[in-house]
């Protein structure tokens, strides 16, 4: 198990009205899985993400990463946890520090004390993993949003994480940029990296192994995309949208195409249409 939450509650300290952002959550993120977390604004998704790598520590309950609690006093242990569970956030511009891309990528490994020669290898690996090798010596300022997010992912990959948490990392991107980032996330998952993707885009969720829905700080749904999107009453209750592929498949079925009555992703829907004679 990569990450395990046991009865985790997190309360933001405030003078008069403390906000309980995460309430009594039990959750296990399996090694190698691709998990989407959905839910309305303010439902606690980002707080949950920050609890995953010790950026926040539970008010009560326990979060463990590879069996080690995030509520450790040992700086080194916390460092190891942050290295294992990498985070990419929403706004790519807030995540760039360096003026040259390779320096941006080198920053993490340098902080980890990785030897010079190995840093070079890591830069190559990370840039190649996100398809940005030829930008190594460029400045990040002129990149598109999708490219910037891929650099932000590369900067995390250079620390050789086991889990990558993407907190609405596609939210500010155009459809092309979103597709680029999603493709990278799936490729990394194929290479064995566990992906936790927080998203508002339900078609992204159709491509996950598992979808977790949060509402008012609690996990209220947890299942395969099929199980989640079949449950129309809950989808409505938690103010989620249906994936666009679902509406398209329904229209095609109605128009007489012999599609199955199931939840399609963009890929599986395209494949199903191609199989039709
Ligand atoms: P989401 O990512 O699903 O939009 P968040 O985890 O950001 O949800 O927020 C959950 C709740 O915690 C919300 O009510 C939000 O207002 C509150 N919250 C988030 N960050 C802070 C903070 N730094 N201080 C106080 N309350 C916060
Ligand atoms: Mg959020």
């Amino acid at each position: 198990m990569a990450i395990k939450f046991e009865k985790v509650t997190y309360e933001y300290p405030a003078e008069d009205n403390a906000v309980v952002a995460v309430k009594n959550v039990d959750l296990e993120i399996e090694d190698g899985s691709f998990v989407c977390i959905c839910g309305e604004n303010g439902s606690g998704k980002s707080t949950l993400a920050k609890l995953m790598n010790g950026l926040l520590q539970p008010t009560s309950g326990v979060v463990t990463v590879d069996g080690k609690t995030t509520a450790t006093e040992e700086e080194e242990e916390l460092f190891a946890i942050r290295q294992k569970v990498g985070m990419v956030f929403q706004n790519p511009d807030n995540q760039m520090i360096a003026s040259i891309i390779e320096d941006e990528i080198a920053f993490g490994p340098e902080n980890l004390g990785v030897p010079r020669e190995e840093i070079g290898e890591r830069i190559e690996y990370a840039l190649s993993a996100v398809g940005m090798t030829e930008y190594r010596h460029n400045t990040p300022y002129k990149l598109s949003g999708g490219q910037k997010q891929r650099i932000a992912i590369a900067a995390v990959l250079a620390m050789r994480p086991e889990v990558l948490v993407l907190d609405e990392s596609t939210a500010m991107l155009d459809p092309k940029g979103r597709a680029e980032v999603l493709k990278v996330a799936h490729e990394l998952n194929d290479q064995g990296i566990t992906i936790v993707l927080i998203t508002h885009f339900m078609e992204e969720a159709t491509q996950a192994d598992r979808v977790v829905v949060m509402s008012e700080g609690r996990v209220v749904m947890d299942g395969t995309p099929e199980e989640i999107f079949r449950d129309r009453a809950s989808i409505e209750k938690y103010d989620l949208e249906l994936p666009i592929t679902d509406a398209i498949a329904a229209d095609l079925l109605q128009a007489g195409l012999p599609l199955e009555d199931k939840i399609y992703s963009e890929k599986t829907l395209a494949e199903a249409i191609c199989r039709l004679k």
Side-chain angles (χ1 to χ4, degrees):
M1 205 59 59
I3 303 175
K4 188 168 180 185
F5 283 64
E6 289 167 282
K7 302 208 177 315
V8 172
T9 293
Y10 184 82
E11 186 173 324
Y12 285 102
E15 288 200 354
D16 327 311
N17 55 339
V19 181
V20 186
V22 166
K23 296 172 189 158
N24 204 28
V25 165
D26 285 309
L27 184 70
E28 294 183 358
I29 306 287
E30 267 175 70
D31 250 333
S33 60
F34 193 119
V35 181
C36 260
I37 300 180
C38 306
E40 291 174 82
N41 279 335
S43 57
K45 304 180 298 298
S46 292
T47 306
L48 197 77
K50 288 176 189 148
L51 287 162
M52 288 183 184
N53 79 343
L55 273 178
L56 296 176
Q57 300 188 344
T59 310
S60 65
V62 180
V63 178
T64 51
V65 174
D66 283 345
K68 297 243 169 71
T69 177
T70 59
T72 171
E73 303 275 304
E74 297 295 322
E75 197 122 312
E76 269 180 34
E77 284 177 17
L78 197 56
F79 220 61
I81 287 173
R82 301 232 171 110
Q83 176 265 318
K84 275 185 191 167
V85 183
M87 298 254 175
V88 177
F89 297 97
Q90 187 175 97
N91 188 338
D93 292 318
N94 293 347
Q95 298 176 67
M96 302 281 170
I97 314 157
S99 57
I100 298 292
I101 285 169
E102 71 170 350
D103 297 340
E104 184 70 36
I105 314 288
F107 188 76
E110 271 166 7
N111 270 341
L112 291 175
V114 173
R116 200 74 231 142
E117 323 77 71
E118 196 187 327
I119 290 180
E121 286 165 27
R122 289 193 184 205
I123 293 172
E124 275 170 38
Y125 152 74
L127 285 176
S128 145
V130 301
M132 292 291 288
T133 301
E134 74 257 41
Y135 293 88
R136 179 167 179 162
H137 303 290
N138 293 21
T139 151
Y141 306 123
K142 291 179 191 157
L143 300 177
S144 70
Q147 289 173 324
K148 282 182 189 164
Q149 285 299 50
R150 281 149 67 200
I151 294 299
I153 292 172
V156 173
L157 287 179
M159 294 190 272
R160 298 269 186 206
E162 291 168 17
V163 183
L164 184 61
V165 181
L166 299 155
D167 187 358
E168 305 218 26
S169 307
T170 60
M172 298 179 76
L173 306 180
D174 61 13
K176 182 167 174 285
R178 249 163 41 212
E180 287 169 13
V181 169
L182 208 66
K183 179 165 169 274
V184 165
H186 280 283
E187 285 169 358
L188 293 172
N189 187 238
D190 291 341
Q191 292 159 27
I193 296 181
T194 306
I195 303 286
V196 177
L197 179 78
I198 299 176
T199 186
H200 274 294
F201 299 103
M202 295 304 133
E203 61 275 18
E204 295 179 359
T206 61
Q207 299 168 42
D209 299 330
R210 175 179 169 203
V211 181
V212 171
V213 180
M214 292 197 69
S215 176
E216 296 176 2
R218 296 178 197 278
V219 169
V220 290
M221 297 175 87
D222 186 349
T224 63
E226 186 80 20
E227 288 163 350
I228 300 297
F229 294 114
R230 279 272 173 238
D231 185 351
R232 298 297 159 92
S234 299
I235 291 293
E236 197 160 318
K237 181 170 166 196
Y238 300 123
D239 206 22
L240 299 174
E241 286 174 10
L242 282 168
I244 185 74
T245 42
D246 197 67
I248 295 170
D251 284 352
L252 293 174
L253 254 172
Q254 181 106 50
L257 288 190
L259 290 175
E260 288 168 66
D261 181 20
K262 64 171 226 179
I263 305 296
Y264 287 101
S265 67
E266 279 173 50
K267 186 162 176 274
T268 56
L269 181 58
E271 284 165 357
I273 293 171
C274 289
R275 275 197 302 273
L276 300 174
K277 292 262 161 64

